[in-house]
Amino acid sequence: QQQQHQQPQMPPPCDPLARLQHFGFPTTTEQWAQAQDVIWEGHQLLPPGWIRCWSRSQHKEYYVRLVDNFSVFDLAAVMEAGKAI
């Protein structure tokens, strides 16, 4: 009998706003970095050195490059920047 190795399935992307309302909004970049696995469980991984944050004024996520705190709302730009590394 042959054993089948199954890849662990990623959970479906969670609702980050619901998680933020439950756990509270981080207030520093360090807190946002520590909360990534909880707030964005199941979401697409970002390139190294990038994190997700939530804009309360625009009601959507944005992305921060940790090395210089550059922020952008465009996920495609973040993923493209990650390829350049």
Side-chain angles (χ1 to χ4, degrees), residues 38-76:
V38 173
I39 304 302
W40 282 278
E41 181 182 12
H43 288 249
Q44 178 181 7
L45 293 177
L46 298 178
W50 288 86
I51 62 170
R52 287 178 167 90
C53 297
W54 188 265
S55 169
R56 292 190 204 198
S57 63
Q58 296 198 29
H59 307 290
K60 63 182 180 178
E61 68 184 54
Y62 65 97
Y63 313 96
V64 176
R65 186 171 52 205
L66 294 172
V67 69
D68 59 2
N69 284 327
F70 172 76
S71 62
V72 64
F73 282 92
D74 184 5
L75 178 59

Side-chain angles (χ1 to χ4, degrees), residues 5-54:
H5 295 293
Q6 291 185 350
Q7 296 281 25
Q9 274 195 306
M10 288 290 294
C14 69
D15 178 349
L17 182 55
R19 295 269 174 112
L20 288 164
Q21 290 169 336
H22 177 78
F23 292 107
F25 283 78
T27 57
T28 67
T29 304
E30 292 79 16
Q31 289 174 355
W32 278 110
Q34 292 171 354
Q36 296 296 291
D37 292 342
V38 173
I39 304 302
W40 282 278
E41 181 182 12
H43 288 249
Q44 178 181 7
L45 293 177
L46 298 178
W50 288 86
I51 62 170
R52 287 178 167 90
C53 297
W54 188 265

